[in-house]
């Protein structure tokens, strides 16, 4: 878990993305982030998922054998803006998911 968190923080720092709140679990990540307007969400996700997959598989060679030729992370992701709901609602959602898993 700490490795995933470190990698995500590194990518965010490189791209100038601010992590407002994040929740890591064993099989998924919830993040509330502020992405600069010149960076697309898809590019940000590509960097996070690609770098974390590579680093985790380097750290744990048994996973590299298991996922060889396959996707480590799921192909998709969900994204929405905070314009339709308040930041407080997003934070409540993340809090609910930090208690699960």
């Amino acid at each position: 878990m700490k490795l995933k968190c470190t990698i995500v923080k590194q990518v965010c720092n490189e791209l100038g993305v601010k992590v407002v709140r994040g929740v890591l679990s064993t099989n998924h990540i919830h993040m509330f982030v502020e992405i600069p307007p010149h960076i697309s969400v898809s590019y940000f996700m590509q960097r996070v998922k690609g770098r974390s997959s590579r680093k985790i598989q380097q750290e744990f060679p048994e996973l590299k054998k298991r996922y060889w030729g396959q996707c480590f992370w799921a192909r998709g992701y969900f994204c929405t803006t905070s314009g339709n709901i308040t930041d407080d609602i997003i934070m409540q959602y993340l809090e609910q998911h930090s208690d699960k898993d």
Side-chain angles (χ1 to χ4, degrees):
M1 292 284 219
K2 187 171 175 99
L3 181 63
K4 283 193 277 188
C5 186
T6 302
I7 296 166
V8 171
K9 285 181 182 177
Q10 287 173 351
V11 172
C12 289
N13 287 336
E14 289 170 12
L15 298 177
V17 172
K18 179 183 174 194
V19 178
V20 178
R21 178 89 163 94
V23 177
L24 289 163
S25 71
T26 56
N27 62 359
H28 63 277
I29 299 173
H30 292 276
M31 294 188 301
F32 182 24
V33 295
E34 293 177 6
I35 301 175
H38 66 278
I39 296 175
S40 69
V41 173
S42 61
Y43 179 74
F44 170 68
M45 291 306 299
Q46 177 186 11
R47 295 286 300 269
V48 167
K49 291 170 91 173
R51 170 105 40 99
S52 61
S53 173
R54 184 171 47 84
K55 292 280 190 179
I56 289 169
Q57 290 181 51
Q58 285 175 342
E59 181 85 16
F60 302 97
E62 64 277 8
L63 292 177
K64 189 172 187 174
K65 291 177 186 176
R66 180 177 175 187
Y67 289 100
W68 185 83
Q70 300 177 25
C71 295
F72 181 77
W73 294 109
R75 289 181 61 198
Y77 58 89
F78 172 76
C79 169
T80 190
T81 63
S82 63
N84 294 330
I85 56 175
T86 66
D87 291 357
D88 290 335
I89 292 173
I90 294 171
M91 297 299 259
Q92 288 174 10
Y93 174 83
L94 292 173
E95 276 302 313
Q96 290 173 348
H97 282 81
S98 66
D99 295 335
K100 295 181 180 180
D101 302 324

